[in-house]
Amino acid sequence: MSYKFDGKNLKYSSRTIANVRGNHIREGSGSKIVANIRGEDIRQGSGSRVLANVRGLDIREGSGSSKIATMKDVDKVIDGPGGVTKAALWYMFVK
């Protein structure tokens, strides 16, 4: 596993890929919001368009039921805590 999430920053080796503040995911160590989390939905930017959703252990495309991955897949690639937040980081930066 090269990606590490400490609850605040997603890093690849020593490079910060994303940071999380509240329900917003920002690119790199900056302030540009690339996604937000509302409940089990991963939304684009600071808007309301649903990119993916997490139901149980499955990550699904958009607001539908078409499975694209499982949390086991995410755990294999990103080391660290998190449920929907970790899935959102995977969806936005690793997938």
Side-chain angles (χ1 to χ4, degrees), residues 30-75:
S31 60
K32 179 185 175 194
I33 298 172
V34 295
N36 72 83
I37 300 165
R38 188 169 303 149
E40 296 179 335
D41 293 336
I42 302 162
R43 299 171 182 254
Q44 184 175 27
S46 55
S48 60
R49 179 173 170 250
V50 177
L51 299 172
N53 68 80
V54 180
R55 299 286 184 264
L57 296 177
D58 294 333
I59 302 167
R60 302 171 187 270
E61 192 69 44
S63 56
S65 60
S66 178
K67 186 169 100 171
I68 56 173
T70 66
M71 286 306 294
K72 274 188 176 182
D73 298 330
V74 174
D75 289 337

Side-chain angles (χ1 to χ4, degrees), residues 17 19 41 58 70 79 83 88 92:
I17 305 295
N19 69 83
D41 293 336
D58 294 333
T70 66
D79 185 30
M92 297 303 296

